[in-house]
Amino acid sequence: MRWRVRPRRGWLLPLLLGLATAAGAETGEDAPWRLGVHPFVATTEVMERFRPLVDHLSAETGEAFELHVANSYGAHVRAVGDGDVDLAYIGPAGFVRLWETHGEHPVLAREVLGSGASFRGVLVVREDHAIETLAQVAGHSVAFVDVDSTMGYRMPMALLERAGVAADDLGQKQFFGNHFDTASAVLLGDADVAAMREEMFERFEGRGLRALAYTPAVPRHPFVARRGLDAERREQWSAILIGLSGHADGPAVFAALGGNVAEFVSGTAEEYRGLREMLEVTR
């Protein structure tokens, strides 16, 4: 089996979306708080999606926030664990990895979609491909997102493992960096099978892709604070996130985030313990 990391289509260098003014920096004001996000879609799209939330946090706290988009899922986990960001939106598997490598971090909120508080991943193939079962994936090339992606690698790989297909049984294992590019890889013939979030598959369903198998549902993405952040700010930021559904800014923030995000609710690390145990097979 060959391992291969593919360059991302539309990949950009890590970007900082600064919301503090140059004048503020010159007058010696404190540095902005940093909201970190992993590159689950192209960096420019992440910036567009999260800009309204960053604006809202700045307005509600009276303090400047900026957005930091990591250049990989692993880099995002390290940034959170090392305290390089103050608040982070992180995938469930990324949170589990953070837990394993840097210890438990405070969960301030977790997202809920109109479809519920959990989500699934899916392994897909072209509509005309001969593969019909998970066992038949052995020997074929598979497009994944990132080794720390919940639905772009760890859950689908666990699904394959349980069907008797180990990583070494794959013909080629490629990482494309985001969910859109894994879908494109199958459509363009760069891979036979792809792993992605169910929401991404729904964008391509009926346009050349069909579902091979779905993963079990798991809790959705949490927002976590860096370790050492004072309790007063943790409570304030948590209240702001959870209160968005009743705020005038809520509809615009949720619409920008996309994916049918409906609200943020309270969450705990314990809600992800079952996922942590489930993912031990792909550690």
Side-chain angles (χ1 to χ4, degrees):
M1 193 240 355
R2 291 180 292 163
W3 290 65
R4 188 177 180 191
V5 178
R6 294 292 297 263
R8 299 175 194 154
R9 297 180 178 91
W11 183 84
L12 297 174
L13 293 173
L15 295 173
L16 292 178
L17 180 59
L19 301 182
T21 64
E26 290 171 358
T27 56
E29 294 178 3
D30 291 338
W33 298 105
R34 303 180 85 190
L35 168 62
V37 182
H38 56 294
F40 61 97
V41 291
T43 301
T44 51
E45 185 174 347
V46 174
M47 293 171 66
E48 291 170 1
R49 290 190 184 199
F50 280 83
R51 178 66 183 256
L53 177 58
V54 172
D55 287 340
H56 179 73
L57 287 166
S58 297
E60 289 297 296
T61 61
E63 300 177 302
F65 278 75
E66 66 180 16
L67 180 65
H68 176 264
V69 185
N71 65 1
S72 72
Y73 282 58
H76 181 52
V77 171
R78 290 191 295 274
V80 181
D82 293 343
D84 294 335
V85 297
D86 306 290
L87 174 65
Y89 172 85
I90 190 167
F95 179 61
V96 168
R97 183 79 74 186
L98 177 69
W99 195 345
E100 293 169 347
T101 58
H102 293 82
E104 191 171 324
H105 282 59
V107 176
L108 304 191
R110 59 182 173 83
E111 68 177 3
V112 173
L113 302 193
S115 57
S118 60
F119 73 131
R120 301 187 298 176
V122 57
L123 284 160
V124 307
V125 295
R126 284 178 61 102
E127 288 179 342
D128 57 356
H129 204 288
I131 293 177
E132 296 289 345
T133 68
L134 290 175
Q136 293 173 340
V137 174
H140 288 85
S141 60
V142 183
F144 294 106
V145 176
D146 185 283
V147 292
D148 285 313
S149 172
T150 309
M151 298 309 178
Y153 177 65
R154 297 193 71 183
M155 287 293 289
M157 195 62 240
L159 201 64
L160 287 168
E161 292 268 6
R162 290 176 182 179
V165 182
D168 288 342
D169 296 328
L170 302 178
Q172 189 178 51
K173 189 166 153 181
Q174 306 178 79
F175 294 95
F176 285 80
N178 64 65
H179 294 263
F180 182 88
D181 284 352
T182 63
S184 300
V186 171
L187 289 172
L188 295 174
D190 292 333
D192 299 311
V193 183
M196 65 194 68
R197 293 164 61 156
E198 185 175 11
E199 297 98 303
M200 183 59 68
F201 168 62
E202 290 172 349
R203 291 171 58 176
F204 286 89
E205 190 173 14
R207 298 168 58 190
L209 297 182
R210 64 176 168 85
L212 182 63
Y214 289 88
T215 72
V218 301
R220 294 200 62 89
H221 296 47
F223 284 87
V224 303
R226 64 171 168 80
R227 298 175 73 179
L229 185 71
D230 63 275
E232 182 178 353
R233 280 200 168 83
R234 291 201 309 268
E235 292 171 5
Q236 180 192 35
W237 296 356
S238 177
I240 290 171
L241 290 169
I242 295 171
L244 250 176
S245 57
H247 194 282
D249 290 348
V253 171
F254 294 137
L257 290 172
N260 198 27
V261 177
E263 61 179 329
F264 300 137
V265 299
S266 60
T268 67
E270 281 301 309
E271 293 172 299
Y272 298 86
R273 186 175 294 279
L275 174 63
R276 183 180 182 182
E277 294 169 356
M278 190 185 310
L279 292 180
E280 287 182 352
V281 69
T282 60
R283 183 175 296 175

